[in-house]
Structures are given as C-alpha cells and as structure tokens.
Amino acid sequence: MSLYTYFTPTKVVFGKGAEDQVGTLVRERGCKKVLIHYGGGSTRRSGLLDRVEKALDSAGIAHVSLGGVVPNPRLSLVYEGIRLARAEGVDLILAVGGGSVIDSAKAIGYGVAADGDVWDYYDGKRQPTACLPVGAVLTISAAGSEMSNSSVITREEDGLKRGCKSELCRPVFAVMDPELTMTLPPFQTACGCADILMHTMERYFNHGDNLALTDGIAEALMRTVLRYALVLNEQPDNYEARAEIMWAGSLSHNGLTGFGTDGGDWATHKIEHELSGMFDVAHGAGLTAVWGSWARYVCRERLDRFVQFALRVMDVEAAEDDYQTALRGIEAMEAFFRSIDMPTSLTALGVSPTDAQIKEMAEKCIQAVGGKALGVVRPLSIQDVAAIYQAAK
Ligand code: NZQ
Ligand code: ZN
C-alpha cells in the first residue's frame, strides 16, 4: 500500500429532521454569528431556510444571509461573501445547499481568514494557511463537498474553473437529512449519482497497490449506488434509497475509498472541469459524457483493475480475453448511465466543441496540473486529452 493520510474531522448528523440541530451544532463550536450561504432559491421554496433560521434563533446564534450561488459557483459572489462576512464579524460560514454552495462557502472561509486575493489559492499561486469554520446543511447527494478537502470555483471572465485542496476547509459539521433531497429534479438526482460513482472510480483506477479492504468498500459503495440510483429513477420519494445515496456521496469523497492507494487518476474530473468551465454544463453529466472515452483510451495500462471492476462491480460475464472483459465492463457502465438519462457523448450532453475549443480545453487541463501529464493510469499529454474529447463527440 502507499503512504496515506486519512483525516475526517466532520461531525455528521444524519436522518429525518437533522437540520433542526443546526443551532446546537454552531453553538457547541463556540461560534456566535454565521453567514447563511445558499443557492438560487430551492432552499427558500422548500421552507428549509426558514427552519434553519429558526434553529439558529432558538440557539441564540445571530445570522446574516447571502444567496445566489449558481452551479459551477462564481468567484464574484465569493468576493461579495468575503466582504459581507468581514463587515458583519461572522465566525462560521453555514452552507445550505449542494456542492456549489459548500464550495463557495469554503472559498469565503479562506478569504475571510487571510489577506490577499483568494483566487491565488485556486490558480496555484499560494496554499491556504487558514479557513473560517464551514458547516453544511446538505440538499443534494453528489459532490461530497460536505466532507471533502476540496472546493471548486469558476472565474467568470475567462471561464477558468479551478479547484483548491487543503485539509483546512473540511466542514466542521454536516447535517444530512435524506428527505431534503426529495425535491430535486430527476436530472439533478441522476447527475449526483453519477458524480458519487465517479469519485470512487477515480480512486479505484489508480496506478499503485491496493488494499483488499479498500477495494471491498469501494466495490460495495459502487454497487449500492448502481442499485439505488435505479430505485430513485422509478421512486424519487423512496426514503431508504435517498439515505443510501446520501451516505454513499459523503463516503465516496472523504478519502475512505482511496485508503492506502496512490490517490487515484482524476483525469476524467479534470477533463470535465474544462467542459463545465467553457460550456457551464452540470458536473455529473459532463463526467458521464467523457468517462467511456477516457476508459477505452487508458484501460490497457491497468487491465487488471478494469477486469476486476467489470466482474465485481458491473457483474458482466468474463470474455475470452481480459481486454474484451474490460470493454464489457466499460460498456455496462455506459449503459447504466444511459438508463438514468445521463449522456455518454458530448452530443448527448448538448455541446459540440470546435477543434480549436478542444485544443484549448486540452491545454488548460495540462496547465491545471502544472504542465505535467494528466492522470496516473496512463499519464496523458495535451494530444491524448484532445483525442479523448474527440472520441467523446
Ligand atoms: O441553487 P438551487 O436553487 O439550490 O438549485 C440547485 C442547483 O440548481 C439544485 N438543488 C440542490 N438541492 C436541491 C436542488 N433543487 C431542488 N431541491 C433540492 N433539495 O441543484 C442544482 C445543482 O446544485 P449544485 O450544488 O451545483 O450540485 P452539486 O452538489 O453537484 O455541485 C456541483 C459543483 O461541485 C463541484 C462541481 O465541479 C460543481 O461545481 N465539485 C465539488 C467537489 C468538492 N468540493 O469536493 C468535488 C466534485 O468532484 C465537484 O467537482
Ligand atoms: Zn465530482
């Protein structure tokens, strides 16, 4: 196994009505005034924001609010949040929403805690040294930001979407009530399931040694998501299925399913981030549109992993040779994506980049990893990445 650090400081309160505890959770941190950060209106419409405000009032916690986070959250709102949080003397950022809201809250947390331009952390100029505590009330099972060490922000003037990773931003608490996800449109539920699968797949397809226990956990998680995503496709109000998917979302991205590995590949995520930076597509749908092309391009380099995935996760019959078995596994995953109405090509995603745009995205992918090769299963050059985008058309 590889040397690996596992750090999960997030206190999780999970189940029906969990959001009523949010005031107590803030108070037990010794915090007195929070910035409630939220998105485009779903939390207002569902009455969740009112309940959160009431829970804070009951615990004697003062609060100010900033809504308007959009999917693929924007830097300009982060700046606004930093100004507001400073002016109001806020000591905790409370994200009420999904990955976009939580990521924006993390960026505000960095910006309030240290001087200088917060974007420096996202374009790799500096590493954060402090972050205001962030708490999350999760409304969509998807990005896993409620327990992750990562935050992804888009600078709108040039569509540059960049992530920042540091242990400082892991939320101090995450409130997870599966019922809150029942108001999601089916497309967002499916995008979330795809993203959850991908967070474990990115770690599963690595280029190092693997622990049997970690593989077992990862495979159980993927099979669980495959099963309950289909249940939700038919029965969006099924509480058990919502709960299974919600917990899978957090465990898929808190480091557990990569324990003892080299960390995983992550090329598909980088390839998608350029797509959503340029075309503003939903993250989960962008991932499913390119994953098959990536998998076919690299699978010969780790046939053992792709065969194991095909047999243990996708439950396909072994073919006459390993490469064919690997391909069957990839095809089965693409068929699953389509069965929950996720796209498996750029055309189905609704974008048709020109050759020049593909070149630009491929160059930005490599820039984002400091000019080095992208991914570990088969380290990719600009030309390789461009070929993957082309094959995904
Ligand atoms: O803004 P509102 O009105 O709340 O609507 C949101 C949004 O339009 C809606 N929604 C959320 N909960 C809802 C709901 N609608 C009805 N009922 C509810 N209960 O869903 C839409 C999508 O929300 P968003 O927060 O964007 O989804 P997600 O959690 O998938 O986050 C995506 C962002 O996270 C980043 C992605 O790149 C993307 O920017 N990621 C963050 C990661 C991390 N921090 O660890 C890892 C991921 O790989 C990912 O890159
Ligand atoms: Zn993701």
Side-chain angles (χ1 to χ4, degrees):
M1 68 170 278
S2 304
L3 179 68
Y4 193 84
T5 303
Y6 183 59
F7 179 60
T8 49
T10 307
K11 178 168 180 175
V12 173
V13 181
F14 194 102
K16 286 184 190 175
E19 60 274 22
D20 297 338
Q21 294 190 31
V22 72
T24 317
L25 287 163
V26 174
R27 198 170 52 196
E28 72 185 24
R29 301 272 327 160
C31 295
K32 297 193 164 42
K33 186 166 189 180
V34 308
L35 171 65
I36 304 174
H37 200 35
Y38 61 97
S42 75
T43 50
R44 188 60 82 194
R45 283 193 300 279
S46 67
L48 175 63
L49 273 182
D50 291 340
R51 295 208 300 286
V52 165
E53 285 165 5
K54 216 170 118 204
L56 292 171
D57 291 339
S58 310
I61 306 293
H63 48 88
V64 288
S65 297
L66 178 65
V69 180
V70 292
N72 305 316
R74 310 294 200 262
L75 182 61
S76 57
L77 194 71
V78 170
Y79 288 145
E80 196 180 327
I82 294 168
R83 281 194 297 272
L84 179 63
R86 282 200 172 133
E88 293 284 342
V90 157
D91 51 15
L92 183 142
I93 317 290
L94 181 62
V96 183
S100 295
V101 174
I102 303 171
D103 285 3
S104 184
K106 289 174 173 178
I108 294 171
Y110 285 138
V112 175
D115 289 334
D117 187 352
V118 72
W119 182 251
D120 289 351
Y121 305 137
Y122 291 82
D123 75 356
K125 283 207 189 94
R126 290 188 292 151
Q127 262 298 311
T129 52
C131 186
L132 221 60
V134 172
V137 179
L138 188 65
T139 63
I140 171 172
S141 313
S145 187
E146 67 279 4
M147 289 184 87
S148 83
N149 63 354
S150 135
S151 140
V152 190
I153 299 295
T154 299
R155 182 169 66 179
E156 47 268 64
E157 60 256 34
D158 55 2
L160 206 56
K161 182 173 179 176
R162 288 289 174 265
C164 168
K165 273 193 184 160
S166 113
E167 301 305 327
L168 299 164
C169 78
R170 289 198 196 256
V172 292
F173 63 78
V175 169
M176 292 186 230
D177 176 351
E179 260 183 348
L180 298 179
T181 65
M182 287 184 187
T183 51
L184 278 167
F187 174 72
Q188 289 296 344
T189 297
C191 281
C193 291
D195 195 20
I196 295 168
L197 279 171
M198 280 302 314
H199 291 156
T200 288
M201 287 155 70
E202 295 278 23
R203 292 173 166 92
Y204 194 82
F205 296 112
N206 55 49
H207 210 84
D209 296 329
N210 288 279
L211 289 178
L213 176 58
T214 299
D215 273 359
I217 292 170
E219 289 156 4
L221 188 146
M222 290 186 277
R223 285 196 304 268
T224 301
V225 177
L226 291 172
R227 174 173 168 192
Y228 288 102
L230 291 178
V231 174
L232 288 182
N233 216 19
E234 299 297 318
Q235 306 162 37
D237 291 342
N238 184 310
Y239 180 81
E240 279 69 35
R242 289 282 175 194
E244 298 280 358
I245 295 290
M246 190 170 237
W247 190 221
S250 300
L251 296 188
S252 195
H253 204 32
N254 77 351
L256 180 68
T257 62
F259 189 92
T261 70
D262 62 7
D265 188 82
W266 296 100
T268 309
H269 262 73
K270 293 282 184 320
I271 291 170
E272 190 294 315
H273 281 171
E274 297 313 329
L275 272 177
S276 46
M278 188 176 280
F279 298 103
D280 204 16
V281 295
H283 173 61
L287 290 170
T288 62
V290 296
W291 178 76
S293 309
W294 168 83
R296 286 187 187 84
Y297 201 82
V298 307
C299 68
R300 285 181 193 276
E301 307 298 318
R302 260 333 284 264
L303 263 188
D304 58 332
R305 300 297 289 167
F306 277 90
V307 167
Q308 185 173 312
F309 173 79
L311 299 178
R312 292 196 198 166
V313 181
M314 301 315 298
D315 211 13
V316 304
E317 294 255 322
E320 52 288 355
D321 68 67
D322 282 353
Y323 179 59
Q324 294 303 326
T325 304
L327 288 184
R328 282 185 186 179
I330 295 167
E331 280 156 18
M333 182 52 92
E334 288 190 313
F336 165 78
F337 286 147
R338 286 190 291 271
S339 75
I340 57 166
D341 292 327
M342 284 288 100
T344 52
S345 69
L346 294 179
T347 308
L349 179 66
V351 302
S352 40
T354 62
D355 289 351
Q357 284 172 322
I358 284 182
K359 184 164 169 281
E360 185 184 333
M361 287 191 289
E363 285 168 356
K364 281 179 166 173
C365 274
I366 300 297
Q367 258 170 33
V369 291
K372 298 185 297 247
L374 179 66
V376 295
V377 173
R378 173 176 170 180
L380 303 169
S381 65
I382 292 176
Q383 291 71 28
D384 294 323
V385 176
I388 290 170
Y389 281 123
Q390 291 290 357
K393 272 183 168 175

